[in-house]
Amino acid sequence: VFGPAQTREAVDHRGEFKLSSLGSNSTYILEAGAPEHWGTRVITESRRRERVPLFSNKMIQSLFDLMGEPNNFDNAIVWGEIKRGGKSVAGAEAALPGTTAIGPIYFNDFRIPDKTLKKTSPNGLFAFVKVAPGLHIVMSQLQGRELPSVVVSSSAGLVSYAEINMKSLTITGKVFDPIFKQKVKANISAVGTSQNIQTNASGNFQMKIPSTDAVLFIDAQAGKDYFVTREAVPRSHSKKVNLLAIRRDWLSQEMIEAKVRQQESLGMMLGYVEGSAFHVALDGEVVSDQNIFYFNEKGKIEPGRIDSIEGGGSFLMTNLKPGLHTLLITSADGQVTNSRIIVTEAGVLNTVTGELNP
């Protein structure tokens, strides 16, 4: 699923499927559905073998009935499970900060929702109902210890599934200024966790965080002269994370010269993609030429240009509504498409880097 669905695959008799239209470096929003079931949505990556649970209408109706809440499709549900070593964990607590959702709801040994429970039972299950559509972070803890957080995208009438596995991940990488060709010292943080570290003087870092199995969103703050930048990092790429440091004065000057306007309340994205000439779309739709700009061979924004230079290049996307989006990067010949999840907000410059691979 890329915003509005652009590809559909039927499962085989074993319930298995393959999204053959996406490149190997893709991150994306996946939805699964079947008759007499609520649809399920997860955020995942191409290199992950994803298990997507489906929840029958009867199961969802029972959940609402037992909670004494009316069932409707105007809001979403977040349904999750906390595991350690593949086994469910009892005694954990889940939270969905900044929402008016009802929950957490925990399930007893018979997998029946129980209002009296304050923590997970041995099945590790939890749920939130009447979740407003949008982007949320599911957080959890066990005996005061912070567990991995999961970013979910909720939509009316869908279940957003959040599997939390109790394990840590060591992220290794560097912060680099691609314009002035130098490594940069910066503060690094992972969205949804309390951890943050400082790189060394050479811009290198190693960071251990509670790990999700899905996509990580890593921020770099290199000081007042630089934008706060954010990169979506697939878990499979965590051993070699390249974060960009972009100077405010450089990008501002480029935008002034090209007469590019940016609203302060909206987000921006800067991309560096190698491999072949390409063009981009957002949430399955062509981006207005007033908000997408490609750089030419001289490294300057070229208004009116409709795709990148040969061999790959750079682009700037402006005035992005805050929230979760799906970026589609398609080769000029239409043979390869990579999908990238981004989370935009005012004051943050999203960056997209990598190669356009089949």
Side-chain angles (χ1 to χ4, degrees):
V1 174
F2 326 118
Q6 286 198 347
T7 184
R8 294 178 181 270
E9 300 284 347
V11 301
D12 62 19
H13 66 281
R14 297 167 296 181
E16 296 187 352
F17 63 91
K18 182 178 181 180
L19 295 177
S20 56
S21 60
L22 290 178
S24 59
N25 289 332
S26 293
T27 56
Y28 55 93
I29 301 171
L30 173 66
E31 289 179 5
E36 304 303 320
H37 289 73
W38 274 50
T40 300
R41 172 180 283 190
V42 297
I43 298 176
T44 188
E45 60 163 312
S46 291
R47 300 186 185 189
R48 174 174 164 81
R49 184 178 176 85
E50 191 67 65
R51 291 177 64 252
V52 186
L54 289 178
F55 303 88
S56 70
N57 291 345
K58 290 182 179 180
M59 180 184 293
I60 297 298
Q61 186 61 56
S62 296
L63 172 62
F64 279 98
D65 289 344
L66 288 166
M67 296 305 300
E69 296 290 338
N71 181 6
N72 60 60
F73 290 92
D74 295 334
N75 296 104
I77 295 173
V78 171
W79 196 301
E81 183 175 357
I82 299 175
K83 295 182 177 182
R84 176 167 49 194
K87 296 182 179 180
S88 301
V89 174
E93 301 170 75
L96 200 65
T99 72
T100 58
I102 297 174
I105 303 161
Y106 299 109
F107 297 74
N108 63 25
D109 292 349
F110 300 100
R111 293 179 173 257
I112 296 174
D114 188 334
K115 288 183 177 180
T116 66
L117 292 177
K118 303 302 180 184
K119 299 178 180 180
T120 58
S121 72
N123 57 44
L125 296 173
F126 65 89
F128 296 86
V129 299
K130 294 198 170 181
V131 180
L135 188 71
H136 304 286
I137 298 176
V138 183
M139 307 188 77
S140 59
Q141 64 173 1
L142 178 66
Q143 298 175 350
R145 172 191 169 194
E146 181 182 7
L147 301 182
S149 59
V150 177
V151 176
V152 295
S153 171
S154 297
S155 183
L158 291 175
V159 177
S160 294
Y161 185 62
E163 183 176 279
I164 297 174
N165 285 294
M166 290 178 58
K167 52 189 174 185
S168 62
L169 176 69
T170 299
I171 302 172
T172 304
K174 65 180 180 181
V175 180
F176 184 74
D177 183 333
I179 305 304
F180 296 94
K181 309 296 182 183
Q182 59 188 14
K183 293 182 178 180
V184 177
K185 188 176 181 179
N187 188 67
I188 308 299
S189 60
V191 176
T193 74
S194 60
Q195 282 90 338
N196 65 83
I197 63 166
Q198 191 81 17
T199 68
N200 62 22
S202 297
N204 298 313
F205 67 91
Q206 188 173 80
M207 181 181 189
K208 190 173 183 178
I209 63 171
S211 171
T212 174
D213 282 333
V215 181
L216 307 166
F217 297 94
I218 309 297
D219 288 358
Q221 171 57 272
K224 59 183 178 60
D225 293 334
Y226 289 85
F227 285 97
V228 177
T229 55
R230 174 174 297 161
E231 183 93 11
V233 180
R235 192 178 190 278
S236 60
H237 293 184
S238 61
K239 298 300 181 184
K240 190 178 180 181
V241 178
N242 294 315
L243 303 178
L244 301 185
I246 306 297
R247 289 187 64 93
R248 292 180 180 274
D249 55 0
W250 170 78
L251 186 55
S252 296
Q253 185 60 36
E254 292 296 318
M255 293 172 66
I256 290 171
E257 291 179 6
K259 299 181 179 179
V260 176
R261 296 183 178 181
Q262 168 67 23
Q263 297 183 40
E264 290 186 1
S265 60
L266 301 178
M268 284 196 300
M269 174 170 48
L270 186 66
Y272 292 83
V273 181
E274 301 175 346
S276 70
F278 64 87
H279 56 267
V280 299
L282 192 71
D283 298 330
E285 299 180 354
V286 175
V287 183
S288 165
D289 58 8
Q290 295 181 354
N291 292 319
I292 176 67
F293 304 91
Y294 297 93
F295 289 72
N296 60 24
E297 291 82 353
K298 296 180 180 180
K300 309 294 288 185
I301 295 174
E302 185 178 316
R305 190 181 183 98
I306 61 173
D307 58 14
S308 77
I309 61 176
E310 288 297 323
S314 305
F315 68 91
L316 173 69
M317 198 175 291
T318 59
N319 299 309
L320 301 173
K321 291 182 179 179
L324 186 142
H325 301 279
T326 304
L327 174 72
L328 293 182
I329 309 169
T330 303
S331 60
D333 60 10
Q335 296 299 307
V336 180
T337 295
N338 280 353
S339 171
R340 297 292 183 89
I341 294 295
I342 62 170
V343 176
T344 57
E345 65 177 281
V348 173
L349 177 64
N350 285 84
T351 58
V352 174
T353 59
E355 295 183 5
L356 189 57
N357 293 330

